[in-house]
Amino acid sequence: MPQVTLNQARDVLLVVDVQNDFCPGGALQVAEGDAVVAPINRLTGLFANVVATQDWHPPGHHSFAASHAGKQPFESAVLSYGDQVLWPDHCVAGTHGAAFHSDLNLDPMQLIVRKGFRHDIDSYSAFFENDRKTPTGLAGYLRERGLERLFICGLATDFCVFYSAMDGKRLGFEVAILEDACRAIDLDGSLDEARRQMGGVGVDFSAAAAHF
Ligand code: VGL
Ligand code: ZN
């Protein structure tokens, strides 16, 4: 869809986790994570509706490798709700690492959804925690506002962007990924797998930040 025409009454930009810990120098740095800031600042000026998410964990969160004896970051563990990648400590509530990148313009954000704040459960998706059923409240917010088509950008393509897109489709929203305003962690092929699964459920990859 080169040259995207927005329907401002029903379209919403979802800006995922553009936080210091996911940018170069951060605890869970994503290669070129900070490269999403400039395109996102341009996009937020074009959409009438903008929502952001913020990864927000208590100290000693269950998704942190350091909370599991003998486990290293990027290994997996089986938790009560299923498999979970174990991460370096990151996005601890109130710390510099959890803060948004300082160049990200927050003024257009109408709602900031914090997620991952329960000690025992991680939350990649903007819609559901990693048990796939505890809601964040975002679906109700979007529905009450009549917002039906999501354009997703931010970090990381293969985790929080991916799960948000899959859940968005599952909940009946139209979903497009602005891949040039996303960057990936790419753990053991996770980016290709995320693309494959998103394509399989009809997530739209044809739009890009450069088309606006
Ligand atoms: C994320 C891993 C752990 C993300 C958050 O924002 O993609 N990834 N927490
Ligand atoms: Zn996290």
Side-chain angles (χ1 to χ4, degrees):
M1 82 166 95
Q3 215 44 49
V4 179
T5 307
L6 286 177
N7 180 339
Q8 297 287 21
R10 62 188 291 272
D11 291 345
V12 58
L13 182 70
L14 177 62
V15 179
V16 175
D17 296 2
V18 182
Q19 294 167 256
N20 290 320
D21 271 343
F22 299 123
C23 290
L28 179 37
Q29 57 185 332
V30 176
E32 300 180 351
D34 54 345
V36 305
V37 173
I40 290 174
N41 282 340
R42 201 171 61 77
L43 289 168
T44 56
L46 300 175
F47 278 75
N49 307 296
V50 184
V51 169
T53 63
Q54 189 172 26
D55 210 40
W56 196 254
H57 301 307
H61 190 247
H62 216 47
S63 75
F64 297 169
S67 305
H68 301 263
K71 289 288 192 180
Q72 296 301 314
F74 308 108
E75 292 179 2
S76 288
V78 181
L79 304 187
S80 58
Y81 50 84
D83 285 351
Q84 166 75 46
V85 179
L86 299 175
W87 303 107
D89 289 25
H90 67 278
C91 296
V92 173
T95 64
H96 174 77
F100 289 108
H101 188 289
S102 58
D103 293 336
L104 185 71
N105 182 10
L106 299 180
D107 295 348
M109 312 304 185
Q110 294 154 353
L111 175 75
I112 296 173
V113 180
R114 287 180 172 165
K115 58 183 182 62
F117 51 76
R118 290 189 177 84
H119 181 275
D120 289 341
I121 178 164
D122 205 2
S123 186
Y124 295 145
S125 164
F127 293 103
F128 294 104
E129 302 195 14
N130 284 12
D131 61 0
R132 323 300 302 131
K133 49 179 195 260
T134 304
T136 63
L138 180 61
Y141 172 90
L142 297 176
R143 284 178 183 144
E144 280 205 56
R145 293 195 52 203
L147 299 172
E148 298 170 331
R149 185 165 67 155
L150 261 74
F151 290 85
I152 310 183
C153 56
L155 306 172
T157 323
D158 44 345
F159 286 91
C160 291
V161 168
F162 164 59
Y163 281 95
S164 298
M166 296 299 286
D167 284 344
K169 288 294 289 186
R170 182 156 65 97
L171 291 164
F173 295 96
E174 288 173 50
V175 179
I177 298 287
L178 304 175
E179 263 204 301
D180 57 340
C182 297
R183 290 294 184 278
I185 295 175
D186 204 12
L187 198 63
D188 300 328
S190 56
L191 178 58
D192 281 347
E193 177 62 16
R195 282 205 188 104
R196 194 186 63 75
Q197 288 192 39
M198 288 190 281
V201 299
V203 170
D204 183 352
F205 285 89
S206 69
H211 296 160
F212 286 83

